[in-house]
């Protein structure tokens, strides 16, 4: 008899909630600065975006009682160009893109920023060596 229950068989992340204080500001940031595809909203406290099949829910229901968000690492093809775009939108940069690891087939570059609501997020690039 197995003393451990069967695993949950989780297959993928379906949705991630991100806390927000001001919904209009957060919607503009995720749509216009990050360029995520807007899906729908409830016209008041919730907005949903698609990030390559993972749904991001921007949640302003908490008001002033904010909880910290987990750091979401968004993949980009060119991290330097992406950080330039963030800077053009006056996004608060926490740390510029930097080399984190040299792996056998690529380098891992990561940089951190804050969204419009003060949540720390990251961009990551898996940079392949040029031939």
């Amino acid at each position: 008899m197995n003393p451990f229950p069967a695993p949950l068989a989780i297959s993928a992340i379906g949705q991630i909630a991100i806390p927000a204080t001001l919904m209009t500001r957060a919607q503009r940031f995720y749509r216009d600065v990050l360029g995520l595809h807007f899906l729908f909203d409830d016209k008041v406290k919730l907005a949903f975006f698609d990030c390559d099949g993972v749904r991001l829910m921007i949640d302003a229901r908490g008001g002033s009682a904010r909880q910290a968000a987990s750091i979401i690492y968004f993949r980009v093809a060119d991290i330097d160009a992406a950080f330039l775009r963030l800077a053009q939108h006056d996004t608060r940069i926490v740390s510029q893109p930097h080399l984190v690891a040299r792996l056998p087939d690529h380098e891992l570059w990561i940089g951190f920023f804050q969204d419009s609501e003060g949540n720390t997020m990251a961009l990551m690039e898996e940079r392949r060596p040029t031939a």
Side-chain angles (χ1 to χ4, degrees):
M1 183 163 142
N2 185 351
F4 301 105
L8 294 177
I10 293 172
S11 62
I13 293 174
Q15 180 169 295
I16 297 171
I18 300 170
T21 304
L22 184 59
M23 179 54 68
T24 54
R25 178 180 61 203
Q27 276 188 284
R28 271 193 313 272
F29 182 83
Y30 281 88
R31 182 191 61 230
D32 301 340
V33 177
L34 296 187
L36 296 181
H37 176 70
F38 174 76
L39 294 172
F40 60 94
D41 62 21
D42 72 350
K43 307 289 187 225
V44 182
K45 298 283 185 180
L46 298 172
F48 298 85
F49 294 85
D50 177 64
C51 183
D52 196 28
V54 176
R55 191 169 49 227
L56 296 181
M57 177 181 76
I58 310 304
D59 184 355
R61 293 177 297 180
S64 62
R66 295 205 1 109
Q67 72 177 42
S70 296
I71 296 176
I72 298 174
Y73 292 75
F74 296 100
R75 285 184 197 266
V76 294
D78 184 340
I79 197 168
D80 296 317
F83 264 80
L84 180 60
R85 177 173 170 77
L86 291 176
Q88 290 170 340
H89 286 276
D90 296 322
T91 302
R92 183 172 182 278
I93 304 301
V94 175
S95 79
Q96 291 292 331
H98 57 280
L99 177 64
V100 173
R102 281 191 171 86
L103 302 164
D105 63 339
H106 70 278
E107 295 177 341
L108 177 60
W109 287 75
I110 294 178
F112 295 89
F113 64 96
Q114 286 187 340
D115 72 1
S116 61
E117 306 307 295
N119 299 303
T120 297
M121 302 286 167
L123 297 181
M124 62 183 282
E125 176 189 348
E126 292 181 346
R127 191 174 290 173
R128 306 286 176 204
T130 55

